[in-house]
DNA sequence: GCCTGGTCTCTACCC
DNA sequence: ACGGGTAGAGACCAGGCG
């Protein structure tokens, strides 16, 4: 039984601990035959690099470092190694320590030694070091030679193995193991505003699993001791691989942890029996399982404006709002205390867990592919910001290419010029094609070899023919050899091509197809984020000249493209960054595409053709009618989250009437009707709520803004608000500034308080006139109610 | 003291 | 804690008016 064997496993989580002065890597996973396993590797040691100053001999420095370390904690090894730093070959001293805690100690000690230029790679967590060095991929399959061990008998796994050699990744991403997923949500008793764990019990924990279980765990009146124990027991019994929730990192887990501590209950939900623990990027780590907060992913979906669980579930078609029970957060305790209403609360809680589970089904396949690609574990990848996701990917690549990973350093923010936006030709245009460059910035970075390691400062320029010189800004980049960004982005684009090739062997409705599709999406997202990353001052591979040159070439490209279009007789209506809107002429457009390819080595593709498109004179705001009758609204009030629904609706309807029917009269009639309805109180309250986000702490605001005063009123009423939350308010009648008349809709006692005049003058009319004034309509004309002539009607 | 115009702050958008 | 470019509303404030 204890003979060595090779097993195949899917990597779920990674961690480490020091056991008997030996660091032990733990790889948590699932095997092909559906066993939960942990693989221990005690052979790996932490290390970092010391980079000598240019004129310092590595041998001398090595001796000095050894002398410096003498008498301190033993260092396992110090060796001079050949590495590259920003593409340049360098000698570095690799320092291998006994345990991870030695690394920061020696980093601090060595960085002060004379002759040391820098200490590198001393800030990488030990298990991440392991993942990078062996190129493991979380959420992917690996092969590993192991032998069983009797260690850690009390852990909740089917088997514990010792690795006889490091695992090897398997390059097939089309399959997933049979995972156990658990979604949960907690409800707290909150008669005194926001619940506090040292005061208010948890009353319901709703649980839904992917194996068809639905549980409603409840408190005994106001005693939640058994409830929490039941929850812990259920997790142990079901033994989930993935635990999902909505906003669990900021609410459920901290609350459960605090509450358990207060009650003296052990929240041992992990596979080692430990409690969830706060970890990197503000997420909670549950040993051996992946704790995923779906909110992290929803946060990035800017198309969902108000990100409450019920809104998101509604938006994603998981649980339509009109088909579920909605209970106001502040009312929960009332339902709990009222025997006749308690069952409604229970149903509500279950629907929350079901919604959460539904979101997980939509999000997890992508999250897993992102995790696999960038190398962050599933529970971390969502919590990490875009910049860090890109960075982890780059760090893996740097390792493969023997490049030293630069340190994260603080730098001043220096702004630079971005893209060009053309002033549109205002009014209505017919038959307009939109063409845009595919991945313009990534391709420019490849074509011009733009990278920190190919950048050459002006004083070092010799023969200009050896460099690509950026227009306007004059930054120079070596043509050869290929720079870091070029190598990385090229690889990503090729990778994506290969995945898309691979997809062809599967039916579009198959699981394999879905997985690969999510994977190619993840690859595209990372490739496209490289430019932004390069211009981020917090990036390890930051260089302003890189970002600045990329946009400069982008500007030149689009300028030349516009010129080319005109030369070919295409009328250019508008352009933004990497797109051109031209009067559609099939032959000319085909010629144009070919010419662009020849001239710039970049691909421009027709994205869509508008039957009709309307532009105001403002940039970034227009509206187009598509051949299938759909309407694209871009930038205008109708698509902004900070206008009252009623105003957005009016604008959208006007655009539709104008683009489809060409009748200004009807549009004006429509606006008048809505104003009538509003005055007579026929418009539902939801449609006049204005939602705005809090971008900072309330005390930090410099001017009195409406949503801030509304937020303060919410706070006084006992609501809890955080940065990023959306505040919904209405404007009420009365004296003073607008900001002082903003009232949280939730606290509104009487609809009579609402200032309808504000909604007419400052919401509906501006939104309507934004469009209608281009057709000769004025505010007075709408308000006077005079019948219009058909003067402004057109086409039919 | 009120009005006006310019500037600043703030949000959310586009690509 | 990935980039810059942009519109538009409202707050704020200085200056003009008389």
């Amino acid at each position: 039984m204890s003979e060595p064997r090779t097993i195949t496993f899917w990597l779920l989580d990674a961690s480490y601990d020091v056991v008997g002065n030996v660091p032990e890597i733990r790889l948590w996973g699932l095997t092909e035959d559906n066993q939960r396993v942990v693989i221990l590797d005690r052979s790996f040691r932490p290390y970092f690099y010391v980079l000598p100053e240019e004129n310092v001999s590595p041998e001398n420095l090595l001796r000095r470092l050894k002398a410096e370390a003498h008498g301190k904690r033993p260092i396992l090894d110090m060796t001079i190694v050949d590495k590259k730093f920003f593409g340049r070959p360098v000698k570095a001293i690799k320092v291998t320590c006994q345990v991870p805690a030695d690394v920061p100690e020696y980093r601090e000690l060595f960085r002060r030694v004379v002759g040391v230029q820098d200490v590198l790679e001393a800030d990488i967590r030990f298990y991440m070091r392991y993942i990078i060095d062996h190129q493991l991929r979380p959420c992917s399959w690996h092969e590993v030679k192991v032998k069983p061990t009797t260690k850690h008998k009390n852990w909740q796994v089917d088997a514990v193995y010792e690795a006889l050699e490091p695992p090897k990744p398997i390059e097939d991403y089309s399959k997933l193991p049979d995972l156990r997923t658990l979604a949960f949500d907690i409800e707290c008793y909150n008669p005194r505003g926001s619940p506090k764990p040292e005061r208010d019990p948890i009353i319901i924990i709703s649980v839904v699993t992917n194996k068809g279980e639905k549980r409603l765990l409840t408190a005994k009146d106001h005693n939640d001791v058994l409830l929490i124990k039941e929850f812990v027991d259920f997790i142990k019994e079901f033994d989930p691989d993935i635990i999902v929730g909505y906003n669990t990192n900021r609410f459920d887990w901290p609350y459960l942890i605090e509450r358990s501590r207060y009650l003296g209950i052990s929240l041992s939900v992990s596979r080692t029996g430990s409690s969830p623990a706060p970890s990197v990027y503000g997420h909670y780590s549950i040993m051996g399982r992946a704790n995923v907060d779906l909110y992290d992913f929803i946060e990035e979906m800017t198309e969902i404006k108000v990100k409450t669980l019920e809104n998101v579930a509604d938006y994603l078609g998981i649980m339509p709002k009109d088909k579920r029970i909605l209970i106001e957060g502040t009312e929960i305790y009332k339902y709990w205390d009222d025997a006749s209403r308690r069952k409604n609360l229970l149903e509500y809680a279950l629907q929350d867990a079901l919604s959460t589970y539904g979101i997980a089904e939509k999000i997890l396949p992508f999250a897993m592919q992102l995790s696999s690609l960038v190398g962050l574990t599933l529970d971390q990848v969502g919590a990490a910001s875009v910049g860090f996701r890109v960075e982890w990917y780059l760090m893996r690549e740097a390792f493969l290419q023997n490049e030293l990973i630069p340190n994260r350093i603080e730098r001043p923010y220096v702004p630079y010029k971005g893209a060009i936006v053309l002033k549109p030709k205002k009014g209505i245009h017919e038959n307009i094609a939109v063409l845009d460059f595919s991945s313009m910035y990534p391709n420019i970075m490849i074509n011009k070899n733009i990278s920190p390691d190919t950048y050459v400062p002006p004083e070092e320029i010799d023969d200009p023919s050896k460099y690509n010189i950026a227009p306007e800004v004059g930054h120079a980049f070596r043509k050869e050899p290929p720079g870091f960004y070029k190598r990385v982005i090229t690889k990503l684009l090729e990778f994506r091509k290969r995945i898309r090739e691979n997809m062809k062997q599967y039916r579009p409705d198959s699981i394999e197809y879905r997985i690969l599709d999510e994977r190619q999406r993840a690859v595209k997202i990372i490739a496209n984020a490289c430019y932004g990353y390069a211009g981020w001052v917090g990036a390890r591979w930051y260089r302003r000249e890189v970002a600045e040159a990329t946009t400069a070439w982008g500007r030149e490209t689009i300028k030349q493209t516009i010129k080319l279009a005109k030369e070919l007789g295409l009328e250019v209506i508008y352009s933004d960054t990497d797109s051109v809107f031209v009067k559609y002429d099939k032959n000319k457009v085909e010629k144009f595409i070919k010419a662009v390819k020849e001239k710039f080595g970049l691909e421009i593709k027709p994205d869509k053709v508008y039957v009709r498109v309307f532009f105001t004179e403002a940039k970034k705001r227009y509206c187009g009618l598509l051949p299938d009758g759909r309407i694209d609204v871009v930038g205008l009030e109708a698509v902004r989250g900070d206008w009252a629904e009623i105003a957005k609706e009016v604008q959208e309807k006007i655009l539709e009437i104008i683009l489809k029917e060409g009748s200004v009269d009807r549009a004006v009639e429509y606006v008048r009707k809505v104003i009538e309805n509003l005055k007579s109180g026929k418009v539902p309250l939801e449609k006049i709520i204005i939602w705005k986000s809090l971008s900072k702490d309330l005390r930090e605001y410099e001017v009195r803004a409406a949503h801030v005063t509304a937020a303060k009123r919410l706070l006084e009423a006992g609501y809890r608000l955080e940065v990023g939350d959306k505040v919904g308010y209405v404007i009420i009648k009365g004296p003073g500034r607008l900001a002082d008349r903003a009232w949280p809709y939730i606290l509104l006692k009487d609809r009579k308080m609402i200032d309808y005049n504000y909604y007419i003058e400052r919401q509906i009319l501006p939104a309507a006139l934004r469009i209608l004034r281009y057709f000769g309509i004025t505010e007075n004309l709408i308000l006077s109610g005079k019948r219009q002539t058909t003067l402004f009607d057109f086409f039919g």
Side-chain angles (χ1 to χ4, degrees):
Chain A
M1 260 328 264
S2 62
E3 279 132 56
R5 70 187 78 157
T6 299
I7 61 168
T8 302
F9 77 103
W10 192 85
L11 182 58
L12 177 67
D13 192 20
S15 58
Y16 84 91
D17 203 355
V18 176
V19 183
N21 212 28
V22 174
E24 181 177 279
I25 290 284
R26 294 156 182 180
L27 304 173
W28 303 84
L30 280 81
T31 62
E32 280 180 307
D33 47 2
N34 209 26
Q35 301 264 298
R36 272 68 190 168
V37 298
V38 63
I39 294 147
L40 313 175
D41 191 339
R42 295 167 61 84
S43 69
F44 193 59
R45 297 292 175 269
Y47 66 87
F48 62 93
Y49 296 100
V50 176
L51 188 65
E53 277 172 9
E54 305 248 335
N55 51 354
V56 171
S57 121
E59 291 78 12
N60 285 344
L61 184 60
L62 178 58
R63 274 195 291 278
R64 279 210 295 281
L65 293 182
K66 280 185 173 162
E68 197 70 40
H70 185 76
K72 305 209 171 62
R73 274 192 59 85
I75 284 177
L76 294 180
D77 185 53
M78 281 203 250
T79 315
I80 296 168
V81 291
D82 287 304
K83 297 287 286 183
K84 283 182 287 174
F85 195 41
F86 289 106
R88 275 192 5 261
V90 292
K91 299 269 183 206
I93 300 164
K94 182 176 177 179
V95 182
T96 307
C97 301
Q98 220 161 36
V99 294
D102 295 339
V103 172
E105 292 267 325
Y106 276 110
R107 173 184 66 201
E108 294 312 312
L109 187 68
F110 286 174
R111 80 182 344 156
R112 288 182 181 83
V113 173
V114 177
V116 171
Q117 190 189 118
D118 222 337
V119 176
L120 297 166
E121 304 196 17
D123 58 350
I124 299 167
R125 286 185 136 71
F126 187 54
Y127 58 85
M128 287 305 295
R129 180 84 265 177
Y130 188 87
I131 287 177
I132 288 176
D133 286 23
H134 300 108
Q135 295 283 302
L136 305 190
R137 292 190 182 278
C139 299
S140 305
W141 296 95
H142 302 77
E143 244 182 28
V144 61
K145 206 180 273 177
V146 294
K147 70 164 198 261
T149 164
T150 53
K151 284 183 185 131
H152 309 302
K153 270 194 183 129
N154 56 336
W155 287 0
Q156 196 178 5
V157 283
D158 298 311
V160 181
Y161 294 110
E162 255 174 76
L164 299 174
E165 49 194 58
K168 289 190 191 71
I170 298 171
E171 303 273 327
D172 178 2
Y173 308 109
S174 63
K175 286 192 292 287
L176 291 180
D178 183 16
L179 293 153
R180 285 195 293 262
T181 307
L182 178 150
F184 81 102
D185 188 43
I186 71 172
E187 306 297 340
C188 299
Y189 189 71
N190 58 344
R192 282 183 272 184
S194 287
K196 294 202 165 28
E198 64 280 8
R199 179 183 71 195
D200 303 312
I202 299 166
I203 46 182
I204 307 171
I205 303 180
S206 50
V207 181
V208 169
T209 76
N210 68 334
K211 302 295 176 189
E213 301 198 56
K214 292 174 195 162
R215 294 278 176 100
L216 278 165
L217 312 176
T218 53
K220 298 278 169 287
D221 287 329
H222 303 130
N223 185 336
D224 52 352
V225 173
L226 289 177
L227 163 64
I228 296 173
K229 284 184 175 162
E230 249 186 289
F231 180 54
V232 173
D233 287 344
F234 184 81
I235 291 179
K236 278 186 189 156
E237 181 201 318
F238 180 71
D239 189 23
D241 304 301
I242 302 175
I243 299 178
V244 297
Y246 194 74
N247 209 21
T248 42
N249 284 340
R250 279 147 89 176
F251 181 71
D252 303 59
W253 285 123
Y255 202 95
L256 273 161
I257 289 165
E258 277 302 304
R259 186 69 188 159
S260 303
R261 187 176 302 156
Y262 174 77
L263 296 172
I265 303 169
S266 148
L267 197 65
S268 53
V269 293
S270 83
R271 281 186 164 143
T272 61
S274 61
S275 298
S279 178
V280 286
Y281 310 124
H283 96 290
Y284 280 81
S285 163
I286 299 176
M287 209 73 85
R289 313 189 198 278
N291 172 45
V292 178
D293 187 349
L294 299 165
Y295 183 76
D296 289 331
F297 293 93
I298 299 299
E299 213 177 2
E300 296 165 21
M301 299 169 70
T302 49
E303 64 274 23
I304 309 178
K305 305 294 174 207
V306 180
K307 295 183 171 66
T308 56
L309 177 56
E310 58 267 22
N311 248 10
V312 173
D314 179 77
Y315 184 92
L316 297 175
I318 293 157
M319 190 164 294
K321 258 191 189 171
D322 51 11
K323 288 197 183 115
R324 67 160 295 178
I325 297 178
L326 290 172
I327 296 177
E328 204 54 67
T330 48
E331 302 277 296
I332 286 172
Y333 75 97
K334 293 181 191 163
Y335 280 72
W336 182 250
D337 287 337
D338 179 345
S340 66
R341 286 199 288 177
R342 194 181 273 194
K343 60 178 191 309
N344 288 346
L345 181 63
L346 289 171
E347 182 61 23
Y348 165 82
L350 184 64
Q351 288 177 347
D352 272 358
L354 284 167
S355 300
T356 303
Y357 180 73
I359 296 172
E361 280 189 309
K362 304 243 175 206
I363 298 288
L364 283 180
F366 172 72
M368 288 177 190
Q369 293 311 315
L370 193 62
S371 160
S372 163
L373 177 72
V374 308
L376 280 163
T377 52
L378 181 58
D379 61 344
Q380 287 183 27
V381 75
S385 68
V386 176
F388 288 112
R389 292 176 194 166
V390 173
E391 190 149 280
W392 281 111
Y393 182 79
L394 295 179
M395 285 160 78
R396 288 174 77 89
E397 286 301 308
F399 174 82
L400 276 183
Q401 302 175 17
N402 203 34
E403 279 276 349
L404 287 165
I405 297 168
N407 283 329
R408 178 175 292 290
I409 53 169
E410 265 195 70
R411 304 183 179 85
Y413 165 73
V414 183
Y416 62 89
K417 244 175 128 183
I420 291 178
V421 189
L422 241 52
K423 245 187 133 178
K425 293 189 177 168
K426 65 179 174 185
I428 289 201
H429 305 274
E430 309 241 330
N431 205 21
I432 299 299
V434 182
L435 296 111
D436 46 34
F437 283 99
S438 337
S439 303
M440 185 196 237
Y441 288 167
N443 282 308
I444 286 177
M445 289 172 86
I446 290 173
N447 290 355
K448 305 296 180 188
N449 202 21
I450 308 172
S451 195
D453 48 304
T454 53
Y455 172 72
V456 181
E459 64 273 17
E460 289 173 31
I461 305 255
D462 38 40
D463 172 8
S465 70
K466 293 198 317 217
Y467 308 97
N468 293 314
I469 315 271
E472 287 184 58
V473 292
H475 304 319
F477 300 89
R478 256 181 246 109
K479 289 181 178 171
E480 293 293 339
F484 186 53
Y485 279 126
K486 176 170 183 162
R487 299 195 299 270
V488 169
I489 299 170
T490 305
K491 194 169 162 181
L492 281 168
L493 297 186
E494 276 166 9
F495 197 16
R496 176 155 183 254
K497 226 185 266 171
R498 218 167 55 230
I499 300 166
R500 279 152 69 103
E501 258 330 289
N502 211 341
M503 279 165 68
K504 287 182 186 159
Q505 61 177 302
Y506 299 105
R507 285 177 34 188
D509 57 357
S510 65
I511 292 172
E512 290 85 353
Y513 190 95
R514 166 97 199 266
I515 296 170
L516 292 175
D517 193 34
E518 298 289 8
R519 190 168 185 85
Q520 67 88 14
R521 242 183 81 209
V523 174
K524 184 183 180 179
I525 286 169
I526 295 299
N528 284 340
C530 282
Y531 149 72
Y533 171 84
W536 170 42
V537 289
R540 290 176 193 263
W541 279 276
Y542 167 80
R543 189 152 255 283
R544 194 199 77 243
E545 289 84 351
V546 165
E548 198 166 41
T550 305
T551 56
W553 264 303
R555 290 192 297 274
E556 191 196 76
T557 306
I558 198 74
K559 273 189 208 157
Q560 294 293 321
T561 301
I562 291 164
K563 199 168 153 232
L564 196 66
K566 286 179 180 166
E567 281 164 8
L568 288 169
L570 287 163
E571 187 195 356
V572 177
I573 305 304
Y574 178 61
S575 163
D576 183 350
T577 311
D578 61 352
S579 69
V580 276
F581 290 53
V582 298
K583 187 92 185 165
Y584 187 52
D585 175 321
K586 195 161 177 280
N587 287 330
K588 285 179 185 168
V589 164
E590 275 168 15
K591 263 175 86 180
F592 172 61
I593 291 169
K594 271 202 201 110
V596 167
K597 174 84 201 162
E598 264 168 45
K599 201 161 173 199
F600 310 113
L602 294 169
E603 200 178 18
I604 196 165
K605 278 202 283 212
D607 180 31
K608 49 189 144 199
V609 179
Y610 288 122
V611 175
R612 261 190 287 281
V613 60
F614 165 79
F615 281 95
T616 70
E617 61 233 276
K619 298 168 176 180
K620 296 183 184 282
R621 318 187 110 211
Y622 57 91
C623 177
L625 172 65
L626 292 161
D628 62 6
R630 280 184 300 132
I631 300 243
D632 258 352
V633 185
V634 181
L636 293 161
E637 284 76 2
V639 293
R640 290 183 62 97
D642 55 353
W643 282 72
E645 187 58 37
I646 189 67
K648 295 168 62 172
E649 208 176 276
V650 165
Q651 191 182 60
E652 176 140 30
K653 199 71 200 274
I654 289 173
L655 288 163
E656 196 176 333
I657 294 172
I658 291 201
L659 286 174
K660 283 189 177 170
E661 303 170 30
S663 170
V664 177
D665 283 8
R666 283 212 43 214
V668 171
E669 268 317 302
Y670 172 76
V671 181
R672 286 175 181 157
K673 185 80 203 144
V674 172
I675 291 174
E676 274 313 301
N677 287 344
L678 181 71
K679 282 181 181 165
S680 55
K682 283 186 201 154
V683 175
L685 181 70
E686 303 97 82
K687 293 196 180 180
I688 58 174
I689 299 168
I690 297 162
W691 294 92
K692 273 196 171 79
S693 304
L694 290 174
S695 63
K696 49 190 161 190
D697 194 286
L698 290 186
R699 287 160 299 192
E700 290 168 40
Y701 280 92
E702 291 179 38
V703 292
R704 289 180 80 87
H707 70 303
V708 178
T709 52
K712 284 179 181 160
R713 285 172 174 149
L714 278 175
L715 235 50
E716 280 168 33
Y719 286 84
R720 205 177 56 163
L721 283 169
E722 282 167 47
V723 171
D725 284 350
K726 275 220 163 49
V727 182
Y729 61 90
V730 293
I731 300 298
I732 58 170
K733 287 181 220 160
R737 276 165 302 205
L738 188 73
D740 298 321
R741 298 191 284 122
W743 202 261
Y745 79 95
I746 247 173
L747 304 178
L748 189 73
K749 293 274 175 348
D750 186 355
R751 274 199 69 153
K752 287 202 194 76
M753 292 169 68
I754 292 170
D755 181 1
Y756 288 122
N757 225 19
Y758 165 80
Y759 285 93
I760 296 166
E761 295 287 340
R762 299 278 165 187
Q763 292 277 324
I764 295 174
L765 284 174
L769 287 167
R770 186 90 54 227
I771 315 301
L772 292 175
R773 71 188 178 93
Y774 293 92
F775 303 94
I777 303 298
T778 60
E779 177 171 336
N780 284 337
L781 221 145
I782 295 175
L783 294 177
S784 70
K786 279 197 216 107
R787 254 196 73 79
Q788 264 293 122
T789 65
T790 52
L791 185 66
F792 301 110
D793 284 13
F794 44 96
F795 53 88

